[in-house]
Structures are given as structure tokens and as C-alpha cells.
Amino acid sequence: MVINAIKMIIPCQCLLGEGPYYSRSFNSLFWVDILSKALYRFDFTQQTLHTYHMPEPICWLMETQDQQLIAGFENAIYYLDSNTLQRGLLYYQLNEPSGNRLNDAKTDRHGHLFFGTMDKLEQQNSGSLYRLGNGKSLQKVDTNYVISNGPAISKNGRILYSTESSSRTIYQFDLNPQGKLSNKRVFAKFDESMGFPDGMTVDNDDHLWVASWNGHGLYRFNEKGSVSSFYRLPAPRITSLTFFGDDLTSIAVTSARTGLGEDMLEKYPHSGAVFILQANVQGIAETPVQLT
């Protein structure tokens, strides 16, 4: 099995934990609780956990090429001061429907930022996938998402994976160095027993890892779209993951408590925690956002 053990459980009890992100320059693991409007930072140097409360839902955080933090909030992108985490507006003109919010994000190997939007009520296919960076203006690159999740980039940088969670479908696109997408096709579909595909990443063997909402764990797919392994976790609503550490063989996995009744929370008390796993495969370092 590609997962050796759960090394640690961080009991942050997130309503909707998402967006784990490892920063080498800060030697920290960041993640968000979208519904609680909170940003978390686990400092590996100090071995301390910090919680920062935000004025609105925060959906993801990343680092730019000049080591600035940027974050996607409900309907805008902001700089975050690296010391105080105070906000400074970066991009606001998304022209999204009022019932939408930002969701998952990832960079390609050239630093283009790809992020999705979703209908907060999870009913309308009003969400989209956007691209920003490398001196280019914001561009909508795909549409018709109820819940846009992922995305993830292949090892060679030539494929982008994007999930439409409500239909349990993971798509592939061809991706060129300028960030242009083409040739959209279905890569894999979850059946009902697998839950719903959520956040994703790719390892150094070019296998796609997918967090499963209501699926209790992580699926690992080979390049042909077949499941190569599954790792069960002690929480049903697994939301996202990232590789981290000096050798990128540790994995941070976020989860959620929202929507779980008392019986389920009693059965799965670690729901909403961050799980730290040890793997025998290596991840790929995230490319910083190249804004200019």
C-alpha cells in the first residue's frame, strides 16, 4: 500500500476543511475552513498551530513567485500580509452570479493559477473554471460546473484534471505552456459507492490522488483512469490533500463536519480534522503563482 500510516491527527474540527497548501519558505502547512471563515497555519519550525479568523469565507491560499501569500475568498482574490495576514485586494471583477463562490485552486508548472467557482446551494451549473497569471488578464476557460473541484496537473505539465463533483466526473484537458486548455474528455467517474470526487493532486509516478466526499478516504488513479489503490480514513467527508515535507512523502488531508448528524459525529469523531499520513511515494512541489 502506498500509505504507510497516519502519523498525526490535527483536531481542528473544521466545518469544511479545504485547500491544504505547503509552503517551503514559511516551513508551514496552511489550510482553510470555508464555512467557519478561518485560515489555519501549522508551523513546523515551532510545532504550533495558529488560527486566523477572516471577515468572509476563505476558499484557498497560495504563494506567489516573490513569496507573497494570496487567497481566494468568496468572490475575490486578495494579497495576505505574511506577518499580520491582513488583506489587500488583488482581483475582484469576476462577474459571477450572486449565489456563487470561489472553490478549489491549483497552479500549473508555469505558474498559471487555475481556480473554480460553484453554486453555494449546489443546484445550478453556474460555476466556471478560470485562469490568471503570467501577465495575462483573468480568463474563463471552462463552464457548466455545479461544483468545480480539483484542479490538478500531470507530472509533465501537459494535462489538467478538473472535477465536476455533483456528477462524480473527473475531466482531462490538454494543457499547453501558455495555459490554454483543449480536448476536454472524461478521465474517470465515481460510482455511488465511492462518494463524490473532491480535491486532487498528482504524485511523482504521475498517479492522480482524489479525496472522496462521503467516500471515507483517498483514491489513487493510474494514467489510464483506473483505481490503483484506496486508503480509508476515519472520517466520511474527505475534502482535499497535498504532499509536503523535505522529501514530499508526507500527505496532509483535510476533512469536514458539516452536514453530519450527531450519530455520525459520534461514530467518526475525527471528522473535520487534518490527517497527516506517511507515504512510500513522492509528491511534486507546487509551483508558485506567477502573476507577472
Side-chain angles (χ1 to χ4, degrees), residues 21-26 60-70 106-114 132-134 284-292:
Y21 184 84
Y22 173 59
S23 167
R24 287 188 185 274
S25 59
F26 288 92
W60 50 262
L61 174 140
M62 289 186 177
E63 193 173 3
T64 69
Q65 75 279 5
D66 53 1
Q67 297 182 354
Q68 286 187 289
L69 297 175
I70 63 171
K106 195 66 64 69
T107 54
D108 69 8
R109 306 296 174 223
H110 298 275
H112 295 100
L113 170 64
F114 288 89
L132 180 66
N134 281 264
I284 301 172
E286 298 292 345
T287 303
V289 179
Q290 185 77 32
L291 288 175
T292 57

Side-chain angles (χ1 to χ4, degrees), residues 6 14 44 61 103-104 120 142 151 168 209 220-221 251 255 267 284:
I6 296 178
C14 292
F44 291 105
L61 174 140
N103 202 32
D104 251 346
K120 288 186 287 186
D142 198 29
R168 295 186 166 98
W209 293 68
R220 186 177 186 244
F221 289 84
I251 302 175
S255 66
K267 185 176 181 180
I284 301 172

Side-chain angles (χ1 to χ4, degrees), residues 67-123:
Q67 297 182 354
Q68 286 187 289
L69 297 175
I70 63 171
F73 284 78
E74 189 163 49
N75 54 19
I77 300 173
Y78 289 83
Y79 288 109
L80 295 182
D81 184 273
S82 59
N83 294 313
T84 65
L85 295 185
Q86 293 297 305
R87 302 193 303 174
L89 186 61
L90 172 61
Y91 203 95
Y92 193 81
Q93 296 174 337
L94 296 181
N95 297 318
E96 282 282 297
S98 60
N100 280 15
R101 68 163 173 83
L102 271 64
N103 202 32
D104 251 346
K106 195 66 64 69
T107 54
D108 69 8
R109 306 296 174 223
H110 298 275
H112 295 100
L113 170 64
F114 288 89
F115 66 91
T117 59
M118 61 172 282
D119 173 23
K120 288 186 287 186
L121 297 179
E122 302 179 7
Q123 296 176 352

Side-chain angles (χ1 to χ4, degrees), residues 52 151 156 222:
Y52 306 91
N156 64 11
N222 63 26

Side-chain angles (χ1 to χ4, degrees), residues 3-50:
I3 300 295
N4 295 330
I6 296 178
K7 295 168 57 178
M8 180 170 62
I9 298 176
I10 303 174
C12 46
Q13 294 190 312
C14 292
L15 280 178
L16 183 54
E18 273 283 5
Y21 184 84
Y22 173 59
S23 167
R24 287 188 185 274
S25 59
F26 288 92
N27 195 29
S28 295
L29 177 71
F30 294 91
W31 67 93
V32 301
D33 182 346
I34 298 175
L35 296 181
S36 295
K37 305 177 185 177
L39 170 66
Y40 288 88
R41 175 185 177 184
F42 188 87
D43 186 318
F44 291 105
T45 303
Q46 303 292 330
Q47 289 291 298
T48 53
L49 177 64
H50 305 272

